[in-house]
Amino acid sequence: MVDLLIIRLFLNCEFPGQCQIGKDLRLLHGAKGVLINPYCKIGDRATIMHQVSLGQNKESKKAPEVCDYAYIGNGGIRIGTNSKVGANAVVLTSVPDNCTAVGVPSVIKGKKMDGVIN
């Protein structure tokens, strides 16, 4: 518990003790704002940029798995209000509000609002 508090104070990030983290995890820009779900698995030599969250799917309760040599960045992309990103999607452009991004590269799927697809 003390280790978690020290990490929060000095790095402004959260790495719960239950995380399975491999060798040589790189946290660029001091890991500022990185949040990781306690049940995530991160492989060897992965790189995580600042302001990245590895959360948990509410419906299935599954946490992400990051494999060896993976790179996770943010790239200034906006995920809109009430929008979702599907598993394994490669999001290259911002996702508008009330939409879902799926596929490689991701395709934006609109959500019906008052009979009209956005």
Side-chain angles (χ1 to χ4, degrees), residues 77 79 85-95 101-108:
I77 291 174
I79 308 300
V85 176
N88 301 320
V90 177
V91 181
L92 301 175
T93 60
S94 293
V95 179
V102 294
V104 178
S106 66
V107 175
I108 307 299

Side-chain angles (χ1 to χ4, degrees), residues 4-80:
L4 183 58
L5 181 60
I6 291 170
I7 290 172
R8 277 189 192 166
L9 288 174
F10 288 108
L11 296 177
N12 192 24
C13 64
E14 189 169 321
F15 287 77
Q18 299 95 317
C19 295
Q20 296 178 16
I21 300 175
K23 296 182 284 185
D24 300 326
L25 174 64
R26 295 183 62 212
L27 301 168
L28 301 185
H29 304 291
K32 184 176 181 178
V34 174
L35 301 172
I36 297 182
N37 181 282
Y39 304 105
C40 282
K41 296 179 183 177
I42 301 174
D44 295 338
R45 295 173 188 85
T47 301
I48 301 176
M49 294 288 288
H50 62 288
Q51 302 296 331
V52 170
S53 293
L54 297 175
Q56 179 176 341
N57 183 315
K58 290 180 193 176
E59 291 84 27
S60 68
K61 305 287 188 203
K62 292 183 179 178
E65 181 177 350
V66 179
C67 295
D68 296 345
Y69 298 97
Y71 176 87
I72 302 172
N74 52 13
I77 291 174
R78 179 183 180 275
I79 308 300

